[in-house]
Amino acid sequence: MRAFWVWLHRWTGLAMTGFLVVVGLTGSILAFHNELDRLATPWLYATPRDAPRLDFEALAEKAEALVPQGRVRNIGYRFPEQVIVGMTPRKDPVTGKPYELGFRQLFLDPWTGDELGRRTPGDLSQGRINLMTFIYLLHDALMLGPTGITILGVVALVWTLDCFVGFYLTLPVARGAFWSRWKPAWLIKWRASAYRVNFDLHRASGLWLWPVLLVFAWSSVMFDWRSLYDGVMHAFFQYEAPRAVIDALPERRTPNPRLDWRAAEATGEALMAKEAAERGFTVTQARAMTYLIDKGVYILSFRSSLDVDAIHGGNCSVYFDADTGALLRVMLPTGQYAGNTITSWLYALHMGGVFGLPYRIFVCVLGLLIAMLSGTGVYIWLKKRRARRLHSRRQAIHVFVE
């Protein structure tokens, strides 16, 4: 059985090598995504000022005045100095077909509503405005869209399972003196041969980093094979998948709801304030607002004391009827469902949103180590393959001489 697991670990590792090198190196860069994006695109960030920011209604009006062919779908704050607006095209009354907007993200000044820029993430033809989005999409989907997401989803699942296989293979074969026999697996003999150093780096690094490698492998399944992740989490924990929450809402296409963005924002704030008072948490600020036109539902999300992720947090949300303002659902990042709490932690750990700068530096280094582990695995395979071929040739020569 051990020979089988060695064979499986070898070939799954080789199959994943190229993918893990790409996601490891890009992930290392993305640990400082926000800083690098701000450095590459300073014009997408407004100058902070001592004045109240516009509400979502005013921002929606500004966006639709700038892009009359589009309808605002969602508005969100990624940073205090930046508003990102997502828009869907209206239909051309002449052709009956949707307008071509030519962008996917519209950036506005939070205080004035002035346009800061437009971009289609990943499109390098637009220049450095998409440098970091290109790296992100390469990391997330190999720049291949749904096909890339599927490929990386399979790789993430194999990686998760291989974490257990790799751990098993570090265990000593003999039963006696377990700890003394297992101890060498945790060490690196730096003065040994190049092959031995590579072997020790591969095995010892995998052991020391095993818990965090498993976290990143399984959280990669969460990002790239969400249906599988949701199914597993639902099987073992009390869990509400965000997509399932939306899908469960009845279809009720409402192009012109009774509540406009301003009224909806006020309604959502009142609903969330009531929930916060009853459940004992605090809300700091509204982060994003989305209108589901096919459901006739607004979603207003807030940053709150329940957030795990200090950088990407803001998933404390209320879902309410766009005509009546009736509360439909409340979704909290932690403390509501065990599975959702675990998911929030996985997301924050993967994205470097916890434990401050030291952890982000660790994530950056981890990306390089993942690429290193893949490289050492290939080196070990090549050396063993060469040794096996040399042994086969010697045997053939020996038989021929006899």
Side-chain angles (χ1 to χ4, degrees), residues 66-103:
L66 289 166
V67 188
Q69 301 88 356
R71 182 195 301 273
V72 172
R73 182 181 69 253
N74 55 61
I75 305 173
Y77 285 94
R78 197 167 120 215
F79 301 101
E81 312 95 330
Q82 182 188 82
V83 170
I84 303 179
V85 181
M87 306 189 77
T88 55
R90 298 178 187 270
K91 288 186 178 181
D92 186 332
V94 177
T95 64
K97 296 180 179 179
Y99 286 105
E100 181 61 46
L101 298 182
F103 68 93

Side-chain angles (χ1 to χ4, degrees), residues 67 89 99-105 118-120 123 126:
V67 188
Y99 286 105
E100 181 61 46
L101 298 182
F103 68 93
R104 286 180 52 197
Q105 293 178 333
R118 307 179 186 195
R119 74 180 175 192
T120 300
D123 184 0
Q126 295 180 348

Side-chain angles (χ1 to χ4, degrees), residues 238-240 275 279 306 315 317 329-341:
Q238 188 178 14
Y239 175 70
E240 287 285 346
E275 291 294 323
R279 297 173 185 259
L306 298 180
N315 294 315
S317 306
R329 286 298 303 266
V330 177
M331 293 298 296
L332 307 179
T334 58
Q336 185 179 25
Y337 305 113
N340 294 69
T341 299

Side-chain angles (χ1 to χ4, degrees), residues 185-232:
W186 296 80
L187 306 175
I188 301 173
K189 298 179 178 64
W190 294 106
R191 296 185 179 181
S193 66
Y195 170 79
R196 180 67 197 214
V197 171
N198 271 271
F199 181 83
D200 286 351
L201 277 170
H202 188 79
R203 183 175 61 177
S205 297
L207 272 175
W208 284 105
L209 296 172
W210 190 84
V212 72
L213 288 174
L214 181 61
V215 165
F216 273 76
W218 183 237
S219 59
S220 296
V221 175
M222 175 185 71
F223 283 110
D224 290 317
W225 197 342
R226 193 59 191 243
S227 59
L228 175 66
Y229 174 87
D230 289 344
V232 172

